[in-house]
Amino acid sequence: MEDKPIDKQVILKELEELHKLDYEYADGRILGSMCTEAHPFAKEVYCKFLDTNLGDPGLFKGTKQIENEVIKSIGRFLSLDNAYGNIVTGGTEANLMAIRAARNHARKYKGITDGEIIIPESAHFSFKKAADMLNLKIVEAQLDENFKIDAESVRNSITEKTVAIVAIAGTTELGLIDPIEEISKIALEHNIYFHVDAAFGGFSIPFLKEIGYDLPVFDFSLEGVCSITVDPHKMGLAPIPAGGIIFRCEEYLEVMAVDSPYLTVKTQSTIVGTRLGASSAATYAIMKYFGKEGYSKIANDLMENTKFLARGLKELGYEIVCEPELNIVAFNHPEMQTNDLAEKLEGLGWKISVAKCPVAIRVVLMNHVKRNHLEELLKDLKDIF
Ligand code: 0PR
């Protein structure tokens, strides 16, 4: 830091120069992001709540009420009347809270002190962080030939140390929905905590189902589901950071509670202490603003773009890894290595993401990737050969 104050204009200029190095969603070239430009209304509301701190909710009673209402409201579209949980920084923190709840619950009621969690091979890497922080062993369940968690493999992985089973509704790499109903039954049978990571799919599957898409059940209507991660900052179009963790009952928060004697509330269950109220307020605003109808329209438009891209790719001789269930397309060309293809596309200005399981170029069809961008992409993909 300099010794003397610097003029605002000078600082702003410096920041703008650096900001220019960032890619912009609006260019439509970012193809591997699950985040997108937040809606202007959500950003406006976000700025109004910048000073609110949900770490001390007694001081920000109104904002705490907003968070509670957002959680109840998300819970309702996930088939839960009375949801508990928090708006957190993202899917990573939400998954960490879920696994912490599961671990603490198993410690309290089953005396498990060296627990294991069963996650699919397709799970997001946030579970590796959670296991590391919570001192749990990861047991990876295999995927079936459709890249979904294999229920038998889950069943065979259960031991007396299992504290949680995880399945995904909208996998990071392929956007696939695991057979959650089957896994829910297995979890119930064995009395094991079951967490569904719907960080990506949570804000689209329910709304696509409402307009007639035939997608599997993944939510609290399944008795075995104890918690769901669902991120407003992905398909919810809320500003970053906004993740959501929804618990079926309050007890899962209680087993994580630590005393916070000098605060306005006497216990705290979140991982983070001081935390934004702005994320809750912006999520509240954007959910009301779109309503189910708005989210259905967005999800449907993105599925239309997904089908358009998948069709176009096939016509050009590319092979798609699987028929998309949500708005992600993964593909390869039979005559070129994936990494070479990715390099060529990067050279043409596309910001590409390469999936690892299986290796493929992966396009996440978010709101900022418009039809004209897809046409340009298909043209480039044609010209490569
Ligand atoms: N669960 C699932 C299923 C996810 O796909 C992700 C992130 C998470 C949890 C973790 O969420 P947070 O990143 O909010 O903590 N999925 C994307 C990914 O890792 C996140 C992302 C977003 C990556 C934008 C890149 C990017 O530009 O691929």
Side-chain angles (χ1 to χ4, degrees):
M1 203 191 331
E2 281 79 353
D3 292 337
K4 299 271 183 221
I6 296 176
D7 185 71
K8 269 205 284 194
Q9 294 312 321
V10 176
I11 301 168
L12 282 173
K13 192 158 182 307
E14 210 176 290
L15 288 172
E16 273 160 27
E17 283 306 311
L18 289 168
H19 199 12
K20 277 188 203 150
L21 299 177
D22 297 343
Y23 293 103
E24 285 187 34
Y25 289 118
D27 294 340
R29 297 257 149 183
I30 300 179
L31 301 180
S33 171
M34 283 188 173
C35 294
T36 190
E37 193 171 340
H39 192 278
F41 179 48
K43 291 194 229 184
E44 184 190 326
V45 171
Y46 188 93
C47 293
K48 287 189 200 296
F49 282 76
L50 275 181
D51 294 323
T52 61
N53 172 15
L54 289 175
D56 204 359
L59 302 183
F60 300 95
K61 289 198 172 101
T63 306
K64 181 61 198 161
Q65 220 171 301
I66 292 171
E67 185 186 40
N68 290 345
E69 183 45 46
V70 169
I71 294 300
K72 301 270 181 249
S73 180
I74 295 177
R76 281 191 289 272
F77 73 66
L78 298 176
S79 310
L80 186 63
D81 281 342
N82 200 14
Y84 297 88
N86 295 98
I87 294 298
V88 294
T89 52
T92 301
E93 193 186 338
N95 287 337
L96 177 56
M97 275 184 74
I99 299 303
R100 181 167 173 239
R103 183 201 62 172
N104 290 9
H105 197 266
R107 191 166 58 195
K108 183 170 174 189
Y109 292 103
K110 298 181 185 167
I112 300 175
T113 50
D114 55 346
E116 299 172 353
I117 54 170
I118 301 172
I119 64 170
E121 279 173 18
S122 53
H124 185 258
F125 53 79
S126 48
F127 290 101
K128 296 200 170 134
K129 297 182 187 174
D132 183 39
M133 283 186 256
L134 299 167
N135 207 18
L136 296 166
K137 184 181 152 205
I138 285 190
V139 180
E140 270 188 351
Q142 283 157 12
L143 303 185
D144 63 17
E145 66 283 5
N146 299 313
F147 308 107
K148 297 185 182 200
I149 192 169
D150 181 74
E152 269 323 292
S153 173
V154 171
R155 203 184 278 283
N156 296 335
S157 304
I158 294 173
T159 71
E160 69 285 354
K161 291 182 180 175
T162 309
V163 300
I165 299 172
V166 173
I168 323 286
T171 55
T172 306
E173 296 199 320
L174 303 176
L176 296 174
I177 306 166
D178 281 330
I180 313 267
E181 190 165 5
E182 241 180 303
I183 309 294
S184 166
K185 281 189 195 137
I186 297 174
L188 269 184
E189 250 171 60
H190 291 82
N191 186 27
I192 294 170
Y193 187 104
F194 180 31
H195 174 65
V196 175
D197 182 358
F200 181 59
F203 260 93
S204 64
I205 303 166
F207 308 115
L208 288 171
K209 279 168 90 78
E210 275 209 10
I211 52 169
Y213 280 74
D214 182 21
L215 294 170
V217 194
F218 77 104
D219 66 11
F220 289 105
S221 59
L222 301 169
E223 219 186 313
V225 174
C226 302
S227 53
I228 301 183
T229 288
V230 41
D231 286 354
H233 75 196
K234 295 190 170 79
M235 290 295 288
L237 266 70
I240 293 171
I245 177 67
I246 312 290
F247 290 106
R248 183 184 284 279
C249 46
E250 201 172 12
E251 193 184 6
Y252 295 129
L253 283 172
E254 286 164 1
V255 292
M256 291 192 281
V258 297
D259 292 339
S260 50
Y262 53 85
L263 295 187
T264 52
V265 286
K266 296 300 158 222
T267 64
Q268 197 173 82
S269 297
T270 47
I271 289 157
V272 172
T274 299
R275 62 191 183 92
L276 281 163
S279 302
S280 285
T283 303
Y284 181 97
I286 201 64
M287 282 177 65
K288 293 233 171 208
Y289 182 78
F290 283 134
K292 285 186 184 170
E293 207 178 289
Y295 280 120
S296 293
K297 182 172 176 348
I298 294 164
N300 187 46
D301 288 351
L302 297 180
M303 285 312 293
E304 288 301 321
N305 283 350
T306 305
K307 287 178 215 158
F308 174 81
L309 177 62
R311 213 171 34 238
L313 285 165
K314 285 182 204 163
E315 279 165 17
L316 294 177
Y318 287 84
E319 286 167 355
I320 60 171
V321 168
C322 55
E323 280 306 321
E325 276 188 305
L326 296 175
N327 45 320
I328 297 182
V329 179
F331 65 93
N332 279 304
H333 195 282
E335 285 155 32
M336 196 183 274
Q337 291 287 319
T338 311
N339 285 334
D340 294 341
L341 184 55
E343 212 171 285
K344 284 201 189 306
L345 287 168
E346 287 277 344
L348 292 165
W350 299 99
K351 304 321 295 168
I352 290 296
S353 160
V354 178
K356 290 281 161 284
C357 180
V359 175
I361 308 269
R362 151 185 181 269
V363 178
V364 189
L365 284 294
M366 294 302 284
N367 231 19
H368 57 271
V369 186
K370 306 290 182 204
R371 205 44 92 91
N372 60 308
H373 303 126
L374 293 177
E375 281 160 2
E376 285 168 36
L377 174 66
L378 286 168
K379 188 179 173 305
D380 283 349
L381 284 165
K382 185 175 178 206
D383 293 347
I384 284 175
F385 287 94

